[in-house]
Amino acid sequence: MRRILTAALAFAILFSFSACKDDSASSFEGEKLSYTEMLKGDGTIDKRWYYKYYPDGEISTSMRCLEDGTCVQRNEYTYTEDNLKETETIYLLGKKSSVTEYHYTEDGKLESEKNYLPEKITETVYHYNVDDTLAYTEQVDAGGKTIGTRRYSYKNGKLSSENIFDAEDNNIGSMKYTYSGDSIKSIEYSGSAVGDYAKEVHTYDGENLIKAEYYDSEGNLLYTDTSEFDGDRCMHRIRIDSNNAIVYTWVTASFH
């Protein structure tokens, strides 16, 4: 089984769930997801991610398309015998493309990612503890100078925090994790790690994540993602803002 996914692929699969029984909305191509739809609150399509696969079942292509059917981004994946080797991101509306190469240690751990971006080349180098947990990652520029570091801490065998450092080794951000059993219960963000929200809280039904709540730095609830499952592993994911209005619903489908 391939061990590494790119950030773009991980984002796509974040909203990728097995298909539903309703044939008017979807069918299923074997055990492989063909596309994922993101719908607006009025039920119209906001965007789709399409997927294609190699004969051995590994994903070969993912494509992001807009409501009108215009496809704006394609990701191509190539592999070694055991691992993801390279990802090429191709922008279809005039932007320059980028390539990421993956390198591994002799025992199969990810050693580095080299990113050939339109304007620069960067590399992320992975360093491990003696128990094979990730100790820190180091981002370097084309000349080999360190431009950032991310360090990982663990408690009771689980990741407890990530701390982000700049080129001068100043701590500029962090992510702190709490758990319910083996599942992540909450993540708190600070500094440069803060994006659209500063904290997320998870609720589970068994192993299934059924609700994720997102808060700003003042503790105000921004929006909630709720997920519904059925016996066929169908999932509908609904995003609700602070006024309880449906913003997005994610569903899955595949080619007929």
Side-chain angles (χ1 to χ4, degrees), residues 147-164:
I147 55 179
T149 306
R150 186 179 293 245
R151 297 171 186 160
Y152 302 83
S153 299
Y154 301 83
K155 185 177 181 180
N156 299 323
K158 300 182 182 70
L159 179 65
S160 58
S161 66
E162 302 177 38
N163 285 281
I164 304 168

Side-chain angles (χ1 to χ4, degrees), residues 107-210:
D107 58 355
K109 294 192 295 290
L110 182 62
E111 185 175 43
S112 66
E113 298 178 23
K114 198 162 189 177
N115 303 294
Y116 297 87
L117 304 172
E119 305 300 331
K120 62 181 179 179
I121 299 173
T122 63
E123 185 173 16
T124 301
V125 182
Y126 292 76
H127 301 268
Y128 296 86
N129 298 309
V130 294
D131 62 357
D132 286 341
T133 56
L134 188 60
Y136 66 97
T137 59
E138 183 181 15
Q139 189 176 33
V140 298
D141 63 18
K145 179 182 177 181
T146 298
I147 55 179
T149 306
R150 186 179 293 245
R151 297 171 186 160
Y152 302 83
S153 299
Y154 301 83
K155 185 177 181 180
N156 299 323
K158 300 182 182 70
L159 179 65
S160 58
S161 66
E162 302 177 38
N163 285 281
I164 304 168
F165 297 83
D166 63 15
E168 285 72 42
D169 208 32
N170 300 305
N171 190 332
I172 59 173
S174 69
M175 301 167 63
K176 295 183 179 179
Y177 300 85
T178 62
Y179 292 83
S180 175
D182 291 329
S183 301
I184 295 175
K185 181 179 180 180
S186 67
I187 308 173
E188 294 187 41
Y189 304 85
S190 65
S192 63
V194 176
D196 295 335
Y197 47 86
K199 183 178 181 178
E200 58 183 286
V201 178
H202 297 171
T203 301
Y204 297 85
D205 180 8
E207 295 181 355
N208 292 328
L209 177 62
I210 60 172

Side-chain angles (χ1 to χ4, degrees), residues 11 14-15 38-42 47 196-197 200 210-214 221-228 236-251:
F11 175 80
L14 177 63
F15 303 114
M38 184 181 289
L39 305 179
K40 299 177 183 178
D42 60 5
K47 60 178 66 73
D196 295 335
Y197 47 86
E200 58 183 286
I210 60 172
K211 183 169 71 172
E213 298 169 297
Y214 300 88
L221 180 64
L222 299 174
Y223 49 85
T224 301
D225 286 355
T226 61
S227 304
E228 297 180 0
H236 293 267
R237 185 166 183 166
I238 300 172
R239 175 160 292 187
I240 303 173
D241 68 14
S242 57
N243 295 315
N244 290 326
I246 295 176
V247 180
Y248 288 112
T249 301
W250 292 275
V251 298

Side-chain angles (χ1 to χ4, degrees), residues 28-29 32-36 49-53 253-255:
F28 209 56
E29 184 182 15
K32 297 298 182 183
L33 182 67
S34 288
Y35 67 82
T36 300
W49 277 97
Y50 290 91
Y51 310 93
K52 293 184 179 180
Y53 303 85
S254 60
F255 299 116

